[in-house]
Amino acid sequence: MSEKTGRGARREPADDPREARRVLEEGARARGFDLVGVTGAEPLRRGGERLREWQEAGMAADMGYMHRPAELLSDPKRLQSSARSVVSLGVSYYPGEHSANEGGGGRVARYAWGRDYHEVIKGRLFELRAELEEALGARVKARAFTDAVPLLERSAAQRAGLGFFGRNSCLINGNVGSYFFIADLLVDLEIEPDAEGTGTCGRCTRCMVACPTGAIKAPGVVDARLCISYLTIENGGEIPRDLRRKVGDWAFGCDVCQEVCPYNKRKATVSRWPEFSAAAGAGPYLEITEVLKIRTDEEFEARFGGTPLTRPGRVGILRNCCVAAGNLRRREAVPALVGCLRKDASPLVRGHAAWALGEIGAGEARLALKRALTTEQDTRCLEEIRLALEESGDAPVG
Ligand code: B12
Ligand code: SF4
Ligand code: SF4
């Protein structure tokens, strides 16, 4: 523990919020974090109010953890009662640009090209905490997390000075852009806080115009029910038929509203963390025909274990690849889609395979759909097959 501070005695960092801030900054930079900020542990009132409105409008879709009371999600002390400061850290995950999709792959959002960021970042947060304890000569009670705990991380980060809210609702830093993860350490230590983040989109509305599904309902307000990121990752059910074409070739997440952002065009620099590079994980495109052949969770784990793509599981990823294949009109994918329609254990996969075959509409695809009409048992799948046949130009099937 640190010595009591007497007149003339050197103050230990644990007693000195400014020195603690210096030590933190040094440690965080040494661990490779691009952005470091601190705010007090008081409730995030403005964020909480906006969250309540968002929830009341139904925009949280069926994400159970986002239906928790706004008072809980906006109060750091509800996560750790002894918390005095929220340390907010930013780390760029920007792995570069997608090449043209010449191979007809399923597009993966940039944050998910490499290893699972939850694990990678948590490891460094623990290191940082250990370093803080050593430098401060005091035990620091801390809670470390990224994207895993019910706290409004963007609001905390904005108050800690990491950036401002863009119209796409992402937190934007004037020097880094928005391709960065936010990570947090709640600590029972008083650390000198930063001024809140400022900045502006000016008159730009590019993201709102470019969003393929019109999910950005107002500046800074994203309706998750329409967001491709939700539809392909958090959504455990169908991708609604009226949205499937708008999903385009995205097989996991979506970056459109960040790609068009002038801050990213000017400022995004490739992440210094090798774990987030394409070589470390699934990379920018999934080989659709290969993915559609995965029939067991074991095979899926062997292929995607340790990457963010495990989040929607085998069924979710195959569902998404069916939609991407349909939108890409990939004739080469027809045999794999027929395999899904005939053999996959999941009605969700069979139903989306039927849709994709209808979109591709080649002779072989329609033949497989007609055959499946006689063997399929699931009511919803049968409906998908009928609609696929109708929409691919056949007379109504009765
Ligand atoms: C639920 C969730 C989603 C949902 C809903 C997204 C959303 N916009 O709400 C879905 C699945 C759609 C999603 C998608 C993505 N997500 Co997400 N997601 C979350 C999560 C878990 C909660 C977000 C939340 O609280 N939403 C509720 C709404 C009301 O909050 P909000 O959008 O943040 O809005 C805030 C502003 O309105 C703000 N606010 C306050 N005052 C003011 C004033 C003004 C003028 C404005 C404009 C705003 C504003 O207060 C609100 C509350 O914080 C966070 C992690 C966390 N625990 O915070 C990650 C998080 C937001 N996601 C992240 C990422 C990377 C993504 C994707 C880019 C992934 C991808 N490529 O597919 C997309 C981006 C889509 C988008 N445009 O938002 C990062 C964002 C990092 C950053 N730099 O902003 C986070 C912080 C995870 C992390 N720890 O890094 N996500
Ligand atoms: S992530 Fe894609 S779908 Fe979601 S708001 Fe941004 S552009 Fe729209
Ligand atoms: S694209 Fe334009 S409006 Fe959207 S977040 Fe970036 S600067 Fe703001």
Side-chain angles (χ1 to χ4, degrees):
M1 295 294 283
S2 58
E3 281 171 36
K4 277 242 169 80
T5 313
R7 191 181 284 269
R10 192 173 74 86
R11 292 180 81 197
E12 291 296 331
D15 305 326
D16 184 344
R18 183 172 290 185
E19 180 59 5
R21 178 70 181 75
R22 193 195 63 73
V23 168
L24 167 75
E25 172 103 26
E26 214 174 85
R29 300 275 178 204
R31 305 252 88 71
F33 288 100
D34 300 288
L35 304 168
V36 190
V38 179
T39 184
E42 306 76 44
L44 301 153
R45 291 200 198 286
R46 205 164 16 131
E49 278 159 29
R50 289 181 68 100
L51 171 68
R52 196 171 299 113
E53 286 166 21
W54 186 75
Q55 289 171 329
E56 282 167 6
M59 293 186 184
D62 63 355
M63 292 179 285
Y65 51 92
M66 293 312 299
H67 286 277
R68 293 183 189 162
E71 303 75 51
L72 180 74
L73 293 166
S74 57
D75 188 355
K77 282 187 193 285
R78 299 282 284 266
L79 282 176
Q80 183 181 304
S81 56
S82 63
R84 290 167 77 194
S85 306
V86 181
V87 175
S88 189
L89 301 151
V91 54
S92 162
Y93 57 77
Y94 182 63
E97 292 297 301
H98 290 88
S99 53
N101 190 5
E102 277 160 7
R107 195 177 291 260
V108 177
R110 290 168 180 76
Y111 84 98
W113 288 14
R115 307 306 298 164
D116 187 341
Y117 57 97
H118 297 96
E119 294 310 314
V120 173
I121 296 177
K122 219 154 67 182
R124 305 251 186 130
L125 288 175
F126 288 135
E127 284 173 26
L128 179 59
R129 176 221 174 146
E131 196 170 311
L132 269 178
E133 287 190 325
E134 198 181 316
L136 301 181
R139 202 176 126 58
V140 177
K141 197 164 172 219
R143 190 139 178 209
F145 53 89
T146 178
D147 202 17
V149 170
L151 180 73
L152 296 174
E153 291 186 294
R154 282 168 166 166
S155 282
Q158 187 272 336
R159 207 171 69 186
L162 260 55
F164 68 96
F165 293 107
R167 294 204 164 104
N168 58 11
S169 96
C170 291
L171 200 74
I172 300 177
N173 178 279
N175 295 319
V176 174
S178 66
Y179 290 124
F180 63 89
F181 292 118
I182 299 170
D184 308 77
L185 264 181
L186 295 189
V187 291
D188 62 346
L189 197 69
E190 202 185 329
I191 308 181
E192 189 177 55
D194 289 84
E196 69 175 286
T198 53
T200 167
C201 291
R203 287 200 293 215
C204 177
T205 54
R206 286 186 205 190
C207 52
M208 300 182 74
V209 174
C211 173
T213 56
I216 308 177
K217 290 298 183 194
V221 179
V222 170
D223 185 341
R225 293 170 297 188
L226 297 176
C227 179
I228 295 167
S229 184
Y230 165 79
L231 293 170
T232 57
I233 304 174
E234 300 298 315
N235 166 30
E238 273 182 29
I239 297 181
R241 286 183 72 87
D242 60 340
L243 292 174
R244 287 182 199 163
R245 287 187 180 161
K246 296 179 180 163
V247 170
D249 63 359
W250 290 105
F252 188 90
C254 170
D255 280 336
V256 173
C257 58
Q258 297 193 89
E259 281 168 357
V260 297
C261 181
Y263 282 99
N264 287 331
K265 285 191 191 293
R266 282 197 299 265
K267 297 292 183 181
T269 45
V270 171
S271 174
R272 290 176 291 150
W273 294 31
E275 296 93 332
F276 301 142
S277 69
Y285 291 106
L286 302 184
E287 181 46 77
I288 288 178
T289 48
E290 291 307 310
V291 172
L292 290 178
K293 288 180 195 151
I294 301 176
R295 291 279 169 269
T296 66
D297 290 343
E298 291 71 30
E299 276 174 80
F300 181 76
E301 188 60 28
R303 180 85 185 248
F304 295 116
T307 79
L309 275 75
T310 53
R311 175 89 181 151
R314 184 194 77 87
V315 168
I317 292 288
L318 265 71
R319 169 199 64 192
N320 301 345
C321 281
C322 288
V323 171
N327 286 330
L328 290 161
R329 304 280 190 274
R330 280 214 67 190
R331 285 193 173 219
E332 304 87 329
V334 168
L337 286 165
V338 172
C340 286
L341 184 63
R342 286 205 193 126
K343 295 185 222 146
D344 204 280
S346 159
L348 200 62
V349 174
R350 298 200 300 278
H352 285 73
W355 178 84
L357 289 166
E359 291 296 289
I360 298 170
E364 194 194 341
R366 281 207 297 274
L367 191 65
L369 284 166
K370 283 180 185 159
R371 281 201 184 126
L373 263 187
T374 62
T375 52
E376 179 60 59
Q377 302 287 313
D378 182 88
T379 327
R380 180 63 190 141
C381 283
L382 279 168
E383 179 67 8
E384 288 274 9
I385 295 166
R386 286 201 186 94
L387 288 169
L389 280 166
E390 274 176 38
E391 286 167 17
S392 67
D394 261 31
V397 187

